[in-house]
Amino acid sequence: LTAQVTSSLARTGNGYPRMKLSYQELLAFQGVKRYEMDQSCCFDTMLLDEERGRLFVGAKNYLLSLSLDNISKQQHMIYWPAPVDWREECNWAGKDINTDCVNYVKVLHHYNRTHLYACGTGAFHPTCAFVEVGQKMEDRVFRIDPNKVEDGKGKSPYDPKHQAASVLIGDELYSGVATDLMGRDFTIFRSLGHRNSIRTEQHDSRWLNEPKFNSAFWVPESENPDDDKIFFFFRETAVEGQGLGKSTYSRIGQLCRNDVGGQRSLVNKWTSFLKTRLICSVPGSDGSDTYFDELRDVFLLQTRDRKNPLVYTIFSTSSSVFKGSAVCIYTMNDIRRAFLGPFAHKEGPNYQWVPFQGKVPYPRPGMCPSKTFGSFESTKQFPDDVIQFARHHPLMYNPVYPLNRRPVFVRTNAEHSFTQIAVDRVAAADGQYDVMFIGTDVGSVLKVISVPKESWKNMEELLLEELQVFKDASPIINMQISSKRQQLYVGSETGLAQVPLHRCSSYGKACAECCLA
Amino acid sequence: LTAQVTSSLARTGNGYPRMKLSYQELLAFQGVKRYEMDQSCCFDTMLLDEERGRLFVGAKNYLLSLSLDNISKQQHMIYWPAPVDWREECNWAGKDINTDCVNYVKVLHHYNRTHLYACGTGAFHPTCAFVEVGQKMEDRVFRIDPNKVEDGKGKSPYDPKHQAASVLIGDELYSGVATDLMGRDFTIFRSLGHRNSIRTEQHDSRWLNEPKFNSAFWVPESENPDDDKIFFFFRETAVEGQGLGKSTYSRIGQLCRNDVGGQRSLVNKWTSFLKTRLICSVPGSDGSDTYFDELRDVFLLQTRDRKNPLVYTIFSTSSSVFKGSAVCIYTMNDIRRAFLGPFAHKEGPNYQWVPFQGKVPYPRPGMCPSKTFGSFESTKQFPDDVIQFARHHPLMYNPVYPLNRRPVFVRTNAEHSFTQIAVDRVAAADGQYDVMFIGTDVGSVLKVISVPKESWKNMEELLLEELQVFKDASPIINMQISSKRQQLYVGSETGLAQVPLHRCSSYGKACAECCLA
């Protein structure tokens, strides 16, 4: 396989895709299926349901259920507007009646075998609802249970321009979101379920500093579910960035699933919250690296070991002069090592951030109470000094560097920047290949593959295809992949598109060529 | 004039020069004169002598005297090699006999009415000499006085790859240079003349931290010569850059001409040395600016007021990914304000740099002893607390921002970067215009003019010409301008070129067009 790809690279030249298809060409190849709705927009929430064969979608005033096989057929929809009085209230507060004071669905999760959980902005009045979808595909049920509509504060943002990052585990929702109308009180919040709600410390820039949440995932840490962790990905204003101007850093934050807060201090606040910087940079010859500081998307590629998915990320530059995007990959090993490393410590206002040199109390903050690592059964049993230490040291000193200390794929001076990523792991005769699908802000999808360059330790990225999936060049705001169906589902402001992962018929007949198409 | 330029801009389109001449075209227009020497290279030292009508040039093993009217005619030269035993010694130390172990002339100044002062690397054995040039142009004298050859340590670098920045005032030489064979002990050094030699504090990264010196200028501060200052421009590794990686900052440093060092402390060291950061950045919408961190060249444009020249500078980016260059202009007002602002202070290793809040001793460090601002007659009379404070606070907290807080001209994603700048102030019917000549690393010169866009406060830069002055695309390493003769003298590794500032005959006959040509 490698030899074939390399020779194909030689034919097409570096930096250019092997195949570039315009929207018309893609339609002609029958490679793309479309879904549009005149009365809605903003398809930025998607949920794959492989079992039922459905793609659930949240949009402006609507919930959709589409067929995974063909998104343009067999659609069901729920009209879910904000009530008139909320819309008027929103409008009186100075917001636009049609663009702001409506219900944008921002959260959509599987709740149980028969229901989804969905939240929307509700005209700056966040609202959540249980959505009945039936037990089986044949049930064709798709409706909101009107008795189970509830307040969505701390779950969905108020402002349609904001993004919520959330994950639903068991019957509990973990969300990173602004919990107030003005969009100033940002929190990582656990709600729903039977335990007390729990959140991050308020008004403490060391915990969260104007964060922009991107995504959240649940990753087991051992075979013991007590060690389960939730990871949040976000970017925020760096507290470390002293002196001139404002710096944005990208972060990964961690929480224990069994955190129930402290007993005397940090009551109903996380005692296991830690965060650190995610670095995606190109090393310079003289030590001055080029940073891609703004995290745009995260995709967890599951491996055989559920504890160790590969973290694929998209970053872009902060600069208004130099535009560029990069793909960086992180391992859970490196992430865990950073959280086990030194805590960042700042003695006072005129001090700088240094690695904490003193004695860290036991149990070390960030460890979950479990039989794996200790004898504490609940975070409420943690000694006071642990809680105090955790409260003042949410930031780790060591950042997480990407695999091989550099991005796997970089694009600069292009007319587009990257917005979304999804990855398909493909088994070939000579090993496995990760095929990256990268969405851009001009409605196109890049298909990029890593191939070994001499050895499997030294990979080279090839741009295979550049597909214009949206005719109107609107930014891609969501992307879901079904490896089972070999389909990619793409959402933008204006519509949805479905593209097969591979277009074998467009290429030659050789099987290897086809695998890579 | 403005209207004509604007319409011309409309015709040619933005970002492209009005006229782009290849080397052949430039030759054909008789617009360029060339000087080359098979046996030499590296014409990076130039000295204009308008009175004698000569261009003195320092190169590898040679000193040249060329005619300012036509550099390809009436040349005189001095062969100035390094002695054979020094060359052999250099070669034994592992350096290359032909590229390193020769004499590169790095320093060339007017010394008095009959002599120049020149220094060279002398095969890693810096050497200086007085060069007799006669009283008048007709004298045609051009020779080194063999009795007046002296040690060049602290004046010329040892390493041909290093640059010395120096200025000769009266009979004293101020130079920024590495004073040791290994190129580790960098200093700003005053030598020659009758006073004791004086230098910067040694082994103190707060004073100088791996500096790369660029240029030095003498600027009066008042009508009283006791207030005269010397300014050094350099870049260095930022002590402020904490945490990850290495940052390069560009600096302006100041000294008093009448500084003779301290009495008990800082003996034969500067007591008036202060430095601060020169910022050249493009503001970002969200507060994250794009920095051009590496100072490449400085040109002082003299105005009617000798105390207030305009400081034209060239900067480039540090990144290996994003390449760009910018022109920033600084006023002496802003520079002086930074040196009168707060001192940068760091209490200890774990502290950060903050503005010093305590009481600054009198007389304030950085002020020259003079009747203008106090009653001290010499820096040796300064109280101990002043000397101690000066020793520990060479760095100012406030940086110097460019005029209008942004570059006047930026080029990104170009195949070249800027290396040199010279500016000609042109009087036109409706005001004065500054015409910038910008040398690049591919042997071309850009001609850029600032024209008012609506008002004289809001200027717009137009790229008028792009001239390929060197056929071999070698980087331009020196550029001198003669406004009197309306000629630009350009030096590279491989040769010298002379170009008239304007090519009137290539344009239409209208006078205004001609002025801008």
Side-chain angles (χ1 to χ4, degrees):
Chain A
L1 173 58
T2 311
Q4 271 150 334
V5 175
T6 310
S7 73
S8 132
L9 175 73
R11 281 199 307 273
T12 53
N14 233 324
Y16 293 96
R18 207 167 144 210
M19 182 175 281
K20 186 169 181 168
L21 295 179
S22 67
Y23 180 74
Q24 278 71 20
E25 289 166 330
L26 208 55
L27 272 185
F29 274 120
Q30 299 192 314
V32 64
K33 296 189 175 68
R34 294 271 294 153
Y35 183 86
E36 277 174 52
M37 261 183 95
D38 282 344
Q39 67 274 43
S40 188
C41 78
C42 314
F43 303 87
D44 64 352
T45 314
M46 278 194 214
L47 180 66
L48 277 187
D49 190 330
E50 296 273 13
E51 230 171 281
R52 289 185 184 81
R54 305 304 289 179
L55 176 72
F56 298 113
V57 180
K60 179 182 165 184
N61 289 336
Y62 282 91
L63 279 167
L64 310 172
S65 167
L66 308 175
S67 163
L68 276 184
D69 293 324
N70 186 343
I71 60 165
S72 35
K73 285 185 183 167
Q74 293 185 309
Q75 59 136 331
H76 304 285
M77 59 167 78
I78 298 170
Y79 179 51
W80 188 18
V84 173
D85 46 344
W86 292 356
R87 295 192 65 202
E88 285 174 351
E89 200 183 310
C90 170
N91 190 219
W92 289 332
K95 311 284 179 190
D96 185 89
I97 190 78
N98 290 315
T99 61
D100 297 323
C101 301
V102 288
N103 186 34
Y104 291 89
V105 180
K106 292 284 185 178
V107 172
L108 193 53
H109 296 289
H110 287 288
Y111 183 74
N112 59 23
R113 307 186 100 213
T114 54
H115 285 80
L116 310 178
Y117 191 70
C119 305
T121 58
F124 276 78
H125 199 303
T127 311
C128 298
F130 291 89
V131 184
E132 200 183 342
V133 289
Q135 290 249 10
K136 279 171 282 176
M137 194 174 164
E138 308 82 68
D139 290 354
R140 298 210 175 181
V141 187
F142 192 54
R143 63 177 164 241
I144 285 178
D145 193 333
N147 300 321
K148 286 186 168 174
V149 172
E150 54 186 37
D151 188 18
K153 184 177 161 149
K155 299 169 185 171
S156 162
Y158 286 70
D159 191 329
K161 288 188 289 292
H162 289 176
Q163 205 55 45
S166 61
V167 59
L168 199 146
I169 310 164
D171 58 354
E172 294 176 313
L173 183 73
Y174 296 77
S175 44
V177 70
T179 64
D180 63 335
L181 189 69
M182 303 302 291
R184 285 183 195 151
D185 180 26
F186 290 94
T187 182
I188 295 177
F189 190 60
R190 184 174 66 205
S191 56
L192 230 57
H194 303 290
R195 296 191 279 186
N196 279 345
S197 293
I198 179 167
R199 60 164 292 166
T200 39
E201 183 71 306
Q202 229 168 339
H203 312 305
D204 187 330
S205 59
R206 292 174 302 184
W207 282 56
L208 293 171
N209 194 20
E210 304 172 16
K212 290 188 169 64
F213 293 104
N214 187 281
S215 41
F217 301 94
W218 165 36
V219 183
E221 186 127 330
S222 74
E223 301 308 316
N224 183 350
D226 274 344
D227 300 322
D228 283 6
K229 282 185 175 166
I230 291 96
F231 292 96
F232 275 86
F233 291 85
F234 54 105
R235 54 183 201 272
E236 63 174 351
T237 304
V239 282
E240 306 99 304
Q242 60 157 102
L244 302 152
K246 188 170 164 174
S247 301
T248 295
Y249 279 6
S250 292
R251 305 281 194 197
I252 178 168
Q254 71 134 47
L255 300 168
C256 290
R257 191 183 168 193
N258 62 6
D259 194 338
V260 291
Q263 182 72 337
R264 266 181 294 275
S265 178
L266 289 184
V267 179
N268 293 328
K269 309 266 172 72
W270 302 105
T271 66
S272 59
F273 176 65
L274 297 179
K275 66 176 181 183
T276 195
R277 184 177 177 191
L278 276 182
I279 286 189
C280 183
S281 68
V282 177
S285 54
D286 56 347
S288 61
D289 298 357
T290 303
Y291 290 92
F292 295 81
D293 272 328
E294 308 221 352
L295 180 73
R296 296 287 165 194
D297 195 31
V298 181
F299 181 87
L300 247 60
L301 180 68
Q302 295 299 340
T303 63
R304 249 161 269 165
D305 177 7
R306 273 248 303 139
K307 300 187 294 297
N308 288 306
L310 264 185
V311 183
Y312 274 82
T313 56
I314 294 282
F315 283 82
S316 67
T317 50
S318 302
S319 168
S320 58
V321 176
F322 297 107
K323 303 283 187 189
S325 311
V327 179
C328 276
I329 305 174
Y330 303 90
T331 65
M332 288 308 298
N333 242 348
D334 288 341
I335 291 167
R336 290 185 182 119
R337 192 180 308 124
F339 287 124
L340 288 172
F343 292 89
H345 179 79
K346 193 179 195 291
E347 193 65 38
N350 286 357
Y351 286 78
Q352 59 190 12
W353 289 93
V354 293
F356 180 75
Q357 303 281 7
K359 191 175 180 310
V360 175
Y362 180 84
R364 182 189 158 94
M367 304 305 283
C368 307
S370 95
K371 296 213 168 102
T372 315
F373 300 111
S375 55
F376 293 88
E377 277 181 12
S378 156
T379 55
K380 283 193 194 285
Q381 294 175 357
F382 281 165
D384 281 352
D385 61 342
V386 169
I387 301 291
Q388 283 310 321
F389 190 89
R391 185 174 173 183
H392 295 294
H393 299 89
L395 179 64
M396 305 311 295
Y397 187 77
N398 290 340
V400 185
Y401 287 96
L403 203 62
N404 301 323
R405 287 245 169 178
R406 54 164 65 246
V408 292
F409 189 60
V410 171
R411 265 226 165 168
T412 56
N413 312 332
E415 292 109 72
H416 59 249
S417 66
F418 303 164
T419 56
Q420 294 283 317
I421 186 166
V423 183
D424 185 31
R425 184 159 272 193
V426 177
D430 58 347
Q432 63 192 9
Y433 292 85
D434 288 350
V435 184
M436 296 177 255
F437 297 89
I438 299 168
T440 73
D441 61 349
V442 296
S444 61
V445 173
L446 311 183
K447 184 172 167 182
V448 176
I449 190 174
S450 281
V451 292
K453 189 181 170 182
E454 290 145 27
S455 83
W456 280 86
K457 293 222 157 178
N458 182 11
M459 302 296 276
E460 182 178 38
E461 279 61 43
L462 301 182
L463 175 57
L464 295 180
E465 294 180 1
E466 192 164 342
L467 311 173
Q468 189 63 40
V469 297
F470 290 110
K471 162 174 64 178
D472 59 359
S474 63
I476 290 176
I477 52 178
N478 199 341
M479 225 160 66
Q480 298 292 325
I481 192 169
S482 167
S483 293
K484 190 177 161 195
R485 285 179 168 76
Q486 290 284 295
Q487 300 288 319
L488 189 71
Y489 305 93
V490 188
S492 81
E493 296 278 308
T494 54
L496 293 162
Q498 172 188 357
V499 212
L501 300 188
H502 311 298
R503 267 150 301 289
C504 297
S505 59
S506 327
Y507 291 89
K509 283 179 185 172
C511 179
E513 286 253 317
C514 169
C515 285
L516 276 177
Chain B
L1 173 57
T2 310
Q4 270 151 335
V5 175
T6 311
S7 75
S8 132
L9 175 73
R11 281 199 308 272
T12 54
N14 233 323
Y16 293 96
R18 208 167 144 210
M19 182 175 278
K20 186 168 179 168
L21 295 179
S22 68
Y23 180 73
Q24 279 70 22
E25 289 166 328
L26 209 54
L27 272 186
F29 274 118
Q30 300 194 313
V32 64
K33 295 187 177 70
R34 294 270 295 152
Y35 183 86
E36 278 175 51
M37 259 181 96
D38 282 345
Q39 66 273 46
S40 188
C41 77
C42 316
F43 304 87
D44 63 353
T45 314
M46 277 194 215
L47 179 65
L48 277 187
D49 189 330
E50 296 273 11
E51 230 172 282
R52 288 184 185 82
R54 306 304 289 179
L55 177 71
F56 299 114
V57 180
K60 178 183 166 184
N61 289 336
Y62 282 90
L63 279 167
L64 310 172
S65 166
L66 309 175
S67 164
L68 277 183
D69 294 321
N70 185 342
I71 59 165
S72 35
K73 285 185 182 169
Q74 290 187 310
Q75 58 135 333
H76 305 285
M77 60 168 76
I78 298 170
Y79 178 52
W80 188 19
V84 173
D85 45 345
W86 292 355
R87 294 191 64 200
E88 286 175 350
E89 200 183 313
C90 170
N91 191 221
W92 288 333
K95 311 284 177 186
D96 186 88
I97 190 77
N98 291 315
T99 59
D100 297 322
C101 301
V102 288
N103 186 36
Y104 291 89
V105 180
K106 292 285 185 176
V107 172
L108 194 53
H109 296 290
H110 286 288
Y111 182 74
N112 59 22
R113 309 186 98 214
T114 54
H115 285 80
L116 309 180
Y117 191 70
C119 305
T121 57
F124 276 77
H125 199 303
T127 311
C128 297
F130 290 88
V131 183
E132 199 181 343
V133 290
Q135 291 250 10
K136 281 169 283 177
M137 194 175 163
E138 307 83 66
D139 289 354
R140 301 211 172 178
V141 187
F142 191 55
R143 64 177 163 240
I144 286 178
D145 194 334
N147 300 321
K148 285 185 169 175
V149 172
E150 55 186 35
D151 188 20
K153 183 176 162 150
K155 299 169 185 171
S156 163
Y158 286 70
D159 192 329
K161 287 187 288 295
H162 289 178
Q163 204 56 43
S166 61
V167 59
L168 200 147
I169 310 164
D171 58 354
E172 294 177 315
L173 183 73
Y174 296 78
S175 44
V177 70
T179 64
D180 63 335
L181 190 69
M182 304 300 292
R184 284 183 194 149
D185 179 25
F186 291 95
T187 181
I188 295 178
F189 189 61
R190 183 175 64 205
S191 56
L192 231 57
H194 303 290
R195 296 191 279 185
N196 279 344
S197 292
I198 180 169
R199 59 165 292 164
T200 39
E201 182 72 304
Q202 229 168 339
H203 312 303
D204 187 330
S205 60
R206 293 173 300 183
W207 282 55
L208 292 171
N209 195 20
E210 303 172 19
K212 290 190 168 63
F213 293 103
N214 188 282
S215 41
F217 302 95
W218 166 35
V219 183
E221 188 127 331
S222 73
E223 301 308 314
N224 184 349
D226 275 343
D227 300 323
D228 284 5
K229 282 186 175 163
I230 291 94
F231 292 97
F232 274 86
F233 291 85
F234 55 104
R235 54 184 201 274
E236 63 173 351
T237 304
V239 283
E240 307 98 305
Q242 59 159 103
L244 302 153
K246 187 169 165 176
S247 303
T248 295
Y249 280 6
S250 292
R251 306 279 193 198
I252 178 170
Q254 71 134 49
L255 299 169
C256 290
R257 192 182 166 191
N258 62 8
D259 194 336
V260 290
Q263 180 73 339
R264 265 182 296 274
S265 179
L266 289 185
V267 179
N268 294 328
K269 308 264 171 74
W270 301 106
T271 65
S272 59
F273 176 64
L274 296 179
K275 67 176 182 183
T276 194
R277 184 176 177 193
L278 275 181
I279 286 188
C280 182
S281 67
V282 176
S285 55
D286 56 347
S288 61
D289 298 357
T290 303
Y291 290 92
F292 295 81
D293 272 329
E294 308 221 353
L295 180 72
R296 296 288 165 191
D297 194 32
V298 181
F299 181 87
L300 245 61
L301 180 68
Q302 295 299 339
T303 63
R304 246 161 273 165
D305 177 6
R306 271 246 306 139
K307 300 187 294 298
N308 288 305
L310 264 185
V311 183
Y312 274 82
T313 57
I314 294 283
F315 284 82
S316 66
T317 51
S318 302
S319 169
S320 59
V321 177
F322 297 107
K323 303 282 186 189
S325 311
V327 178
C328 275
I329 305 173
Y330 303 89
T331 65
M332 288 309 299
N333 243 346
D334 288 342
I335 291 168
R336 290 185 183 118
R337 193 181 306 122
F339 287 123
L340 289 172
F343 292 88
H345 179 78
K346 193 176 195 293
E347 193 65 38
N350 286 357
Y351 286 77
Q352 59 190 10
W353 289 93
V354 293
F356 180 75
Q357 303 281 8
K359 193 175 178 311
V360 175
Y362 180 84
R364 182 188 159 93
M367 303 304 284
C368 307
S370 95
K371 293 209 169 105
T372 315
F373 300 110
S375 55
F376 292 89
E377 278 181 13
S378 156
T379 55
K380 283 194 193 285
Q381 294 177 358
F382 281 165
D384 280 352
D385 60 342
V386 169
I387 300 292
Q388 284 308 322
F389 190 91
R391 185 174 172 181
H392 295 293
H393 298 89
L395 179 63
M396 307 310 296
Y397 188 78
N398 290 339
V400 185
Y401 288 96
L403 203 62
N404 301 322
R405 287 244 168 178
R406 53 165 65 245
V408 291
F409 189 60
V410 171
R411 267 228 164 166
T412 58
N413 313 332
E415 293 109 73
H416 59 248
S417 66
F418 303 164
T419 57
Q420 293 283 314
I421 186 166
V423 182
D424 185 32
R425 183 158 271 194
V426 176
D430 58 346
Q432 62 191 9
Y433 292 84
D434 288 350
V435 183
M436 294 177 259
F437 297 89
I438 299 168
T440 73
D441 61 349
V442 296
S444 61
V445 172
L446 312 182
K447 184 172 167 182
V448 176
I449 191 174
S450 282
V451 292
K453 189 182 170 182
E454 290 146 29
S455 82
W456 280 86
K457 291 224 158 177
N458 182 11
M459 302 297 276
E460 183 178 39
E461 278 61 44
L462 301 182
L463 176 56
L464 294 181
E465 295 181 1
E466 192 165 340
L467 311 173
Q468 188 62 41
V469 297
F470 290 110
K471 160 176 68 176
D472 61 358
S474 64
I476 290 175
I477 53 179
N478 199 341
M479 225 160 65
Q480 297 293 322
I481 193 170
S482 166
S483 294
K484 188 175 160 197
R485 285 178 168 77
Q486 291 282 296
Q487 300 289 322
L488 189 71
Y489 305 93
V490 187
S492 81
E493 295 278 308
T494 55
L496 292 162
Q498 172 188 357
V499 210
L501 300 187
H502 312 297
R503 266 149 302 287
C504 298
S505 59
S506 325
Y507 292 88
K509 283 178 184 176
C511 178
E513 287 251 318
C514 169
C515 286
L516 275 177

